[in-house]
Amino acid sequence: MKNVLMLKNIDDSTVALFDISFISLCLGVVIPIIYYLFNDKESLYAEEFLTDADSPDFSRLFGHSITQGLPILFTMSDRKVYIGYIYEVQAKVHTSDVYILPVVSGYRDGRTLFLKKVTQYKKVINSLNEQKKMKLGSS
């Protein structure tokens, strides 16, 4: 090794330290790459984010909803209501967008704040599927 570095006044302990440092650096780069090749990065990041004690309470609520397959009810500031399943949460710095697959939508009564259901999306989806089948059948 001394001849490779072309250094004449170098002792064996310095060469050993250099070897150990180089091997550690290589392992520090290669091991995470191999680990993430065989594991789903997105699920690992999501699990870490959703179980982190510093993440906001709504993030843990969203995580619980996603893992348990439970719908969430959202009441907007204009009293519109959406009930649905979360399929994407944006984790960007300046946004807090949540994309849901709606099941029911409606609004809250101005006086009593009682939920008034307006659209049942399962019926809408079934109707669209029937129309599509009829179009394909008539073609």
Side-chain angles (χ1 to χ4, degrees):
M1 181 74 178
K2 291 181 186 180
N3 292 337
V4 172
L5 295 175
M6 295 187 181
L7 298 173
K8 301 206 186 260
N9 297 330
I10 189 167
D11 56 39
D12 291 338
S13 62
T14 304
V15 172
L17 180 63
F18 178 78
D19 288 345
I20 292 170
S21 299
F22 183 72
I23 291 170
S24 298
L25 179 67
C26 289
L27 289 176
V29 170
V30 171
I31 289 175
I33 290 172
I34 292 172
Y35 179 76
Y36 286 119
L37 279 177
F38 295 107
N39 291 302
D40 182 23
K41 285 186 271 191
E42 187 173 318
S43 65
L44 290 172
Y45 292 146
E47 181 182 336
E48 179 63 29
F49 177 74
L50 297 173
T51 58
D52 183 14
D54 292 334
S55 70
D57 289 334
F58 70 87
S59 298
R60 284 184 269 157
L61 175 68
F62 292 169
H64 184 71
S65 171
I66 292 167
T67 57
Q68 300 296 317
L70 300 171
I72 291 185
L73 182 142
F74 295 93
T75 301
M76 305 294 151
S77 59
D78 60 356
R79 293 196 179 127
K80 289 181 183 177
V81 175
Y82 297 95
I83 301 171
Y85 296 95
I86 298 172
Y87 71 88
E88 186 176 350
V89 177
Q90 294 288 328
K92 296 178 183 173
V93 175
H94 297 293
T95 65
S96 58
D97 294 342
V98 177
Y99 298 101
I100 66 168
L101 181 62
V103 177
V104 176
S105 67
Y107 64 94
R108 295 220 178 253
D109 182 78
R111 191 173 46 86
T112 64
L113 297 180
F114 186 75
L115 173 62
K116 304 238 181 183
K117 297 177 187 174
V118 175
T119 307
Q120 301 272 348
Y121 287 95
K122 186 172 182 179
K123 293 176 184 175
V124 173
I125 291 169
N126 289 339
S127 174
L128 290 172
N129 284 336
E130 286 179 23
Q131 288 177 3
K132 186 176 178 181
K133 285 178 186 178
M134 288 174 41
K135 276 187 178 180
L136 291 174
S138 64
S139 298

